[in-house]
Amino acid sequence: MRILITAGPTREKIDPVRFISNRSTGKMGYAIAARAAEAGHDVTLISGPVALECPPDVKRIFVESASEMAQVVHANAPAADVIIMSAAVADYRPAHPWESKMKKQPGNLFLELERTEDILGTAGKNKLPHQLLVGFAAETENLEANALDKLQRKNLDWIIANLVSDGFGSDTNRVIIFNRSGEKFPLDLEEKSTLAQKIVELILQNK
Ligand code: CTP
């Protein structure tokens, strides 16, 4: 199968030397890409800026901002059988980035932010009948309710949910996976590489 995976953070430009980003390491998405390629699938990994090696037999495309990630995802999505969005995409970007390096001024600085595209939401609207769409939900509270709400709202087939305190930025994670019918698959706290194998097995064996 052709599998498209997003991973890592995005960077949203403030000026030529500054940006807004987040603590995502990309490890979960890279581990899923590695396991899926080992299982013989044709894997394209759309990655934000991270310090990780490209797994063997994976085609990696580096992007920086949410809007670049959106362009590359939408260009590659129609050919994919499975789309897995693990990237921590910025929800907002500076509305008026500076072309030259911003000089400090006396007093406070107010930065106006505008919404970025919800890439997964668009992929859900454009989903083709044979496609499986998988999202992630990193929450600080109400894990189950928020995850199920995202699953419905974004037209997903699966959602992989975790508490930020359990996995964000670390080598291990504890996730609960839900399918479209609301069935629940809780997995134990594990190394992300082990979890990735279980996620690939669960999701791809049901395809
Ligand atoms: N996502 C995306 N594009 C965005 C934001 C998020 O594709 N601009 C994807 C992520 O890759 C992840 C899922 O959407 O798979 C969950 O992201 P999240 O930001 O938690 O979802 P929201 O619906 O924006 O929820 P919240 O109300 O928590 O901001």
Side-chain angles (χ1 to χ4, degrees):
M1 286 188 283
R2 288 194 183 173
I3 305 186
L4 190 65
I5 302 172
T6 68
T10 64
R11 287 181 181 173
E12 309 303 327
K13 180 179 162 186
I14 298 172
D15 75 5
V17 296
R18 303 177 177 98
F19 55 80
I20 296 177
S21 192
N22 60 66
R23 293 183 189 280
S24 167
T25 59
K27 283 177 186 160
M28 194 70 245
Y30 272 62
I32 293 173
R35 301 290 89 77
E38 280 166 16
H41 300 290
D42 176 348
V43 180
T44 300
L45 177 61
I46 301 172
S47 173
V50 295
L52 296 172
E53 297 265 315
C54 185
D57 303 318
V58 168
K59 179 183 166 203
R60 174 168 63 176
I61 305 172
F62 266 129
V63 296
E64 199 149 306
S65 63
S67 89
E68 280 172 37
M69 185 172 279
Q71 268 181 29
V72 179
V73 168
H74 300 322
N76 285 275
D81 301 302
V82 181
I83 303 175
I84 303 174
M85 303 265 210
S86 73
V89 184
D91 287 325
Y92 294 90
R93 66 173 163 238
H96 309 290
W98 279 263
E99 287 305 323
S100 313
K101 189 180 167 209
M102 190 206 6
K103 290 290 182 189
K104 60 182 160 304
Q105 309 286 339
N108 294 344
L109 171 72
F110 295 90
L111 200 54
E112 186 184 345
L113 302 178
E114 63 185 14
R115 284 288 304 272
T116 58
E117 179 187 324
D118 180 348
I119 306 171
L120 181 59
T122 307
K125 288 196 183 91
N126 298 337
K127 190 164 69 169
L128 300 170
H130 73 279
Q131 282 179 336
L132 266 191
L133 188 58
V134 184
F136 275 74
E139 308 290 342
T140 47
E141 65 241 318
N142 301 330
L143 182 65
E144 187 158 338
N146 284 332
L148 289 172
D149 174 60
K150 273 171 206 179
L151 181 104
Q152 296 291 335
R153 199 158 34 86
K154 301 194 188 197
N155 191 23
L156 309 180
D157 299 288
W158 295 88
I159 192 150
I160 301 165
N162 70 277
L163 286 172
V164 168
S165 54
D166 278 339
F168 209 83
S170 97
D171 286 344
T172 54
N173 201 355
R174 186 203 315 271
V175 303
I176 304 181
I177 306 179
F178 298 92
N179 68 13
R180 229 182 145 74
S181 342
E183 251 181 298
K184 192 170 157 180
F185 303 85
L187 302 184
D188 293 333
L189 180 74
E190 305 247 35
E191 291 289 321
K192 286 183 175 174
S193 54
T194 312
L195 271 181
Q197 182 65 35
K198 295 187 173 168
I199 290 169
V200 164
E201 280 166 14
L202 180 66
I203 288 172
L204 300 186
Q205 86 188 3
N206 282 286
K207 168 84 178 128

